[in-house]
């Protein structure tokens, strides 16, 4: 009740409403992430009360996470990196006239994921934190390597083309300074490449700029824009939502667990949940071509990961992702030290955070519906005006990450590369997955190898690492073994008995 009293203050409710509108706006701009939206609000948050400041950050990040799906659905360009996993599904569903199964499903799934993640956070924070704190570089290595296996699930029909795309992403992930020795790799004497290839720039080039190239080269063809009439249902029907219940619950659990791992974040949660949803889907062949199952699973994981990232933040003071890194700074400046004692010394504050999470995801539905109609109004603008504006916003988003003009060259190069790949039916999703997880795999592998003094047995000595390692090896070698067995059986002589 003390926590509820803190949240029901006029200044807290007003800041939640304003930050919600701001988060929706930033999330709808291709290339601007939820982290950037929160970072822009930090100067304002410092002037607010502790509860209002935290409510501002939580509400803004939840809204921005969903809003990234709106340009993904209407323009085939993800607004935030976490929306990239199911961009093509959203766009194909909307073009097929199934807005409720695309944006509506995303909206409701995001809200349910945030609520489910908040409930798990409320009742399982200490248990999840104990689990997450046991993760060392060994566990992170196997987890990331297992995540790379998802490339086979998001690759599409041609597995070989999917693996080639993944290889390009892995190559981009090793550009820059070597993690251990500090030696420059594939920088070609370019100083700006020493820090590596920026993920935001690659995402903008791969999904936004390549799509602009595709539309420009097919300008002589008709591009019917998806329509959303005022009488059309913006939400999914209850039976459609019920059919996706397993994907929603699974996505909420996966998102919360991955969010609880420091450094994982909503992006990885979305990719993993999308791949697992495809594995257990009734129609896996629709993934990448308009699957409501993929949208439900990944969109739920996005917002659930936001809640999960507060587990190590509150219990140990360890940021779960870049957003909670900002939260830790705000808490400390407000005189609140995150850690185990925060549940005793500031119990009302912790409960206020839980209530804000629930409230933010509840108001996400009505505000999200308004944002969907606003997005439909935006895409009704003529192409000659709309696409140059989108290009300008994409370039601004890439530049704003590091205030470096070199990022624009990365956007251009990746945009041309992915456009050529897609013209030849090479998927872009494995490339992004390889870039995201490639650095995690390499850094944790090298750290583990140094700690183990070159003894690979140590990679399996810890209980969680051993389970993850065996599971990864099974996933990687099972198709090979089964293929060899089938080949051997097909070559066996047939004995005809009369």
């Amino acid at each position: 009740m003390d926590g509820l009293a803190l949240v029901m203050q006029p200044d807290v409710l007003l800041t939640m409403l304003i930050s919600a509108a701001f988060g929706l706006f930033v999330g709808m701009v291709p290339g601007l992430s939820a982290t950037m939206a929160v970072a822009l609000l930090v100067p304002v948050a410092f002037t607010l009360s502790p509860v209002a400041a935290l409510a501002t950050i939580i509400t803004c990040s939840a809204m921005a996470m969903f809003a990234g799906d709106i340009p993904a659905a209407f323009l085939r360009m993800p607004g935030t990196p976490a929306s990239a996993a199911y961009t093509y599904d959203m766009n194909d569903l909307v073009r097929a006239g199934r807005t409720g199964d695309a944006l509506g499903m995303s909206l409701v799934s995001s809200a349910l994921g945030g609520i489910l993640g908040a409930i798990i956070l409320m009742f399982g924070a200490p248990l999840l934190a104990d689990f997450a704190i046991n993760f060392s570089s060994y566990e992170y290595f196997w987890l990331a390597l297992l995540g790379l296996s998802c490339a086979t699930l998001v690759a599409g029909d041609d597995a070989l083309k999917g693996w080639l795309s993944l290889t390009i992403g892995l190559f981009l992930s090793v550009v820059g300074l070597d993690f251990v020795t500090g030696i420059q790799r594939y920088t070609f004497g370019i100083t700006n490449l020493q820090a590596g290839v920026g993920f935001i720039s690659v995402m903008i080039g791969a999904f936004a700029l390549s799509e602009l190239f595709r539309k420009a080269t097919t300008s002589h063809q008709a591009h019917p824009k998806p329509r959303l009439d005022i009488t059309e249902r913006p939400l999914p029907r209850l039976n459609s939502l019920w059919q996706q219940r397993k994907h929603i619950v699974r996505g909420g659990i996966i998102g919360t667990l991955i969010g609880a791992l420091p450094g994982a974040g909503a992006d990885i949660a979305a990719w993993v949940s999308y791949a697992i949803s495809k594995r257990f889907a009734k129609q896996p062949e629709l993934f990448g071509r308009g699957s409501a199952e993929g949208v439900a699973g990944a969109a739920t994981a996005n917002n659930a990961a936001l809640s999960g990232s507060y587990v190590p933040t509150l219990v140990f003071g360890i940021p779960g992702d870049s957003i909670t890194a900002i939260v830790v700074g705000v808490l400390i400046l407000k005189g609140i030290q995150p850690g185990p004692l925060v549940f005793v010394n500031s119990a009302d504050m912790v409960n206020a955070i839980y209530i804000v999470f629930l409230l933010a995801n509840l108001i996400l539905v009505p505000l999200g519906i308004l944002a969907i109609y606003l997005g439909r109004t935006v895409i009704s603008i003529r192409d000659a005006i709309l696409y140059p504006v989108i290009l300008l916003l994409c370039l601004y988003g890439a530049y704003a990450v590091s205030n470096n003009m070199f990022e624009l060259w990365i956007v251009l190069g990746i945009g041309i590369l992915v456009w050529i790949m897609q013209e030849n039916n090479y998927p872009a999703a494995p490339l992004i997955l390889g870039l995201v997880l490639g650095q995690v795999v390499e850094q944790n592998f090298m750290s583990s190898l140094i700690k183990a003094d070159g003894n690979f047995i140590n990679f399996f000595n810890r209980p969680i690492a051993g389970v993850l390692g065996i599971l990864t090896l099974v996933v990687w070698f099972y198709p090979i073994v089964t293929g060899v067995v089938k080949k051997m059986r097909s070559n066996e002589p047939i004995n005809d008995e009369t």
Side-chain angles (χ1 to χ4, degrees):
M1 295 304 296
D2 291 340
L4 182 62
L6 290 175
V7 175
M8 290 297 138
Q9 297 296 321
D11 64 321
V12 176
L13 298 177
L14 180 61
T15 54
M16 285 185 68
L17 189 61
I18 296 174
S19 62
F22 180 77
L24 287 171
F25 170 75
V26 174
M28 289 173 63
V29 178
L32 300 185
S33 63
T35 304
M36 188 176 296
V38 170
L40 293 173
L41 285 179
V42 167
V44 178
F46 286 156
T47 64
L48 302 173
S49 64
V51 176
L54 292 174
T56 298
I57 294 173
I58 292 172
T59 307
C60 177
S61 57
M63 298 294 169
M65 196 64 68
F66 160 72
D69 295 348
I70 297 176
F74 287 130
L75 300 171
R76 213 174 176 218
M77 304 173 187
T80 60
S83 304
Y86 49 99
T87 292
Y88 298 152
D89 294 279
M90 299 266 294
N91 185 254
D92 289 343
L93 285 170
V94 171
R95 289 189 176 278
R98 299 170 58 189
T99 306
D101 288 334
L103 282 169
M105 185 66 71
S106 167
L107 175 59
V108 176
S109 298
S110 295
L112 291 176
I115 293 172
L116 180 59
I119 293 174
I120 296 175
L121 173 65
M122 292 165 60
F123 294 101
L127 296 176
L128 287 174
D130 287 341
F131 175 74
I133 203 66
N134 287 326
F135 268 60
S136 65
S137 58
Y138 297 107
E139 286 79 10
Y140 277 113
F141 164 71
W142 287 119
L143 185 65
L145 200 60
L146 184 62
L148 284 178
S149 307
C150 298
T152 60
L153 298 177
V154 299
D157 297 331
D158 195 327
L160 178 59
K161 290 184 177 181
W163 281 110
L164 290 174
S165 177
L166 175 66
T167 303
I168 295 174
L170 291 174
F171 169 74
L172 293 176
S173 71
V174 300
V175 173
L177 298 179
D178 183 90
F179 174 69
V180 177
T181 63
I183 296 175
Q184 297 186 31
R185 301 179 301 185
Y186 308 110
T187 59
F188 305 104
I190 302 174
T191 306
N192 290 295
L193 284 177
Q194 291 182 5
V197 179
F199 170 63
I200 296 294
S201 301
V202 172
M203 194 272 295
I204 293 173
F207 287 97
L209 195 62
S210 65
E211 182 65 15
L212 292 176
F213 283 145
R214 189 182 71 86
K215 285 183 167 59
T217 54
T218 58
S219 58
H220 59 284
Q221 302 175 6
H223 289 291
K225 291 186 177 181
R227 299 190 60 81
L228 178 61
D229 298 327
I230 196 67
T231 57
E232 188 177 339
R233 292 172 60 92
L235 296 178
R237 297 183 181 277
L238 290 178
N239 61 339
S240 299
L241 196 62
W242 180 252
Q243 291 174 359
Q244 310 302 336
R245 63 190 184 279
K246 293 182 180 179
H247 297 285
I248 291 174
V249 173
R250 186 191 304 117
I253 295 174
I254 291 173
T256 306
L257 291 176
I258 292 180
L261 302 176
D267 307 346
I268 296 177
W271 284 107
V272 172
S273 181
Y274 183 82
I276 293 177
S277 294
K278 183 177 181 179
R279 174 64 181 82
F280 294 100
K282 294 180 180 178
Q283 296 178 299
E285 68 278 1
L286 291 181
F287 276 65
R289 298 185 178 91
S291 170
E293 296 171 300
V295 172
T300 305
N302 283 354
N303 276 34
L306 292 177
S307 306
S309 64
Y310 279 74
V311 172
T313 303
L314 292 176
V315 179
F316 297 105
I318 301 172
D321 58 8
S322 53
I323 294 176
T324 48
I326 298 174
V327 171
V328 170
V330 172
L331 285 172
I332 294 175
L333 287 175
K334 296 297 181 180
I336 302 171
Q337 182 63 45
L341 293 179
V342 74
F343 294 90
V344 178
N345 299 333
S346 304
D348 55 347
M349 175 68 66
V350 174
N351 286 305
I353 292 175
Y354 299 154
I355 295 170
V356 167
F357 263 114
L358 296 174
L359 186 59
N361 285 282
L362 287 175
I363 66 174
L364 173 59
V365 175
L367 293 178
I369 293 175
L370 294 176
I372 291 173
Y373 282 112
L374 177 61
R376 184 257 179 262
T377 303
V378 170
I379 68 159
S380 64
I381 300 173
R382 290 192 303 113
D383 290 352
I385 299 175
L386 178 62
Y387 293 132
V389 171
I390 292 174
L391 177 61
L392 180 64
L393 292 173
C394 290
L395 296 179
Y396 169 75
Y399 176 77
V401 174
S402 59
N403 294 332
N404 190 345
M405 288 292 294
F406 185 77
E407 298 295 331
L408 305 186
W409 290 106
I410 294 178
V411 171
L412 177 62
I414 296 297
I416 295 174
L417 172 65
V418 172
W419 168 57
I420 295 173
M421 288 172 56
Q422 291 181 336
E423 289 295 309
N424 293 277
N425 298 319
Y426 284 82
L431 185 150
I432 301 297
L433 193 63
L435 178 62
V436 171
L437 294 179
Q439 294 179 347
V440 181
V441 169
E442 183 194 15
Q443 293 180 7
N444 286 285
F445 174 75
M446 295 304 298
S447 298
S448 301
L449 201 61
I450 293 172
K451 288 191 294 186
D453 196 22
N455 187 359
F456 286 96
I457 299 298
N458 287 4
F459 281 74
F460 297 90
N461 279 347
R462 296 165 60 89
I464 299 177
V467 172
L468 289 174
I470 293 173
L471 181 61
T472 303
L473 294 178
V474 168
V475 170
W476 280 62
F477 288 103
Y478 177 77
I480 299 175
V481 174
T482 54
V484 171
V485 171
K486 289 181 180 179
K487 182 70 174 177
M488 293 175 63
R489 288 179 177 177
S490 64
N491 292 332
E492 290 180 358
I494 301 176
N495 296 323
D496 295 327
E497 296 182 1
T498 58

